[in-house]
Amino acid sequence: MIDVLVVDDDFRVAEINAKYVGKVPGFRVAARAHSAAQALTAVQGGGIDLVLLDHYLPDRTGLELVHRMREQGIGTDVIMITAACDVTTVQQAMRLGALHYLVKPFTFAALRTRLDSYAALRRTVDRVGCHGVAQEQVDRIFGALRTTPAPSAPGLPSGHSEPTTDLICGVLHRADHPLSAHEVAARTGLSRSTAQRYLRHLEQAGRLRLSLRYGDTGRPEHRYAWVAP
């Protein structure tokens, strides 16, 4: 079994993530933590194979925690699960050795894909062993972490993915006012054209309400608001 530490400052989110982990064969939740200090104590105690780590924690950021772990020689694997979607944070996570980076909100299928690829990585490393490896074996190790993009869910147009749809819906659901495609792109880390494409589909499907705001140029700005089901 792969023992997982779930770290999130929101108790409810931590519980949801823990339930997700428990549904994936070969994984079990060893502990939960709601701050960086709690998480560090848990990994220092040993027995944790993988940390599912939020970035926004009350005492320090998730990446600061990873940096502290590495300073102490703790090599526990990390998958970031966070709403932080700016490029700088993603790059820092890569440089600190995070194996995957999953943006909230996400689906169970998206998390399971990352966990399955992590399990495949461990199996591959176990088969290779600790001796010198050839390039083919190195390629196999790195390839084990690759994930296949989630297919479009029923009802989604070709080229649309469920995780991206969920990401945009989550941003609009939390917003306290209608957002433009530019604002949605900024909050999700998507390109503006991608955000526009998804917003157009969601509005046509009745999940968003479209309004127009006229500025000095005379050309209206499209703004989108969440429609409660």
Side-chain angles (χ1 to χ4, degrees):
M1 295 293 289
I2 296 173
D3 288 315
V4 179
L5 170 64
V6 175
V7 184
D8 199 292
D9 67 319
D10 190 316
F11 285 72
R12 294 170 299 176
V13 173
E15 182 63 26
I16 292 172
N17 292 349
K19 288 181 178 179
Y20 278 173
V21 171
K23 293 169 64 176
V24 181
F27 290 82
R28 65 186 173 195
V29 176
R32 299 174 181 80
H34 307 292
S35 69
Q38 291 176 356
L40 184 59
T41 299
V43 294
Q44 285 173 334
I48 302 296
D49 300 307
L50 175 66
V51 180
L52 299 185
L53 181 60
D54 188 16
H55 182 58
Y56 298 120
L57 299 173
D59 46 353
R60 66 173 67 188
T61 68
L63 292 185
E64 288 173 340
L65 169 61
V66 178
H67 187 263
R68 182 66 174 153
M69 288 166 54
R70 301 312 184 226
E71 284 184 332
Q72 295 186 7
I74 300 172
T76 306
D77 294 321
V78 173
I79 293 178
M80 299 296 297
I81 297 183
T82 176
C85 54
D86 58 286
V87 174
T88 299
T89 303
V90 174
Q91 287 179 326
Q92 289 177 342
M94 293 174 61
R95 290 165 182 158
L96 287 170
L99 298 179
H100 279 299
Y101 196 107
L102 190 57
V103 178
K104 295 178 181 179
F106 56 90
T107 63
F108 167 65
L111 177 59
R112 177 163 187 169
T113 298
R114 274 70 179 180
L115 294 180
D116 285 342
S117 73
Y118 174 71
L121 170 65
R122 289 174 63 95
R123 290 193 299 268
T124 301
V125 172
D126 288 343
R127 286 195 299 267
V128 170
C130 58
H131 303 292
V133 293
Q135 183 64 52
E136 180 183 355
Q137 293 169 312
V138 172
D139 292 342
R140 192 176 302 127
I141 291 172
F142 276 85
L145 278 176
R146 294 176 187 153
T147 58
T148 303
S152 296
L156 289 179
S158 177
H160 286 60
S161 72
E162 186 177 0
T164 303
T165 300
D166 290 344
L167 173 62
I168 291 176
C169 287
V171 165
L172 286 161
H173 186 264
R174 293 189 296 269
D176 56 6
H177 61 274
L179 301 178
S180 66
H182 177 76
E183 291 171 321
V184 171
R187 296 189 184 194
T188 58
L190 300 170
S191 69
R192 184 173 180 176
S193 60
T194 298
Q196 286 177 322
R197 181 159 49 89
Y198 277 81
L199 290 168
R200 191 177 306 113
H201 165 70
L202 290 168
E203 187 269 328
Q204 292 173 350
R207 299 176 67 180
L208 303 179
R209 182 177 66 254
L210 172 64
S211 60
L212 301 179
R213 186 173 75 176
Y214 289 86
D216 296 334
T217 63
R219 186 173 182 177
E221 178 185 54
H222 289 198
R223 301 183 68 81
Y224 300 86
W226 178 255
V227 176

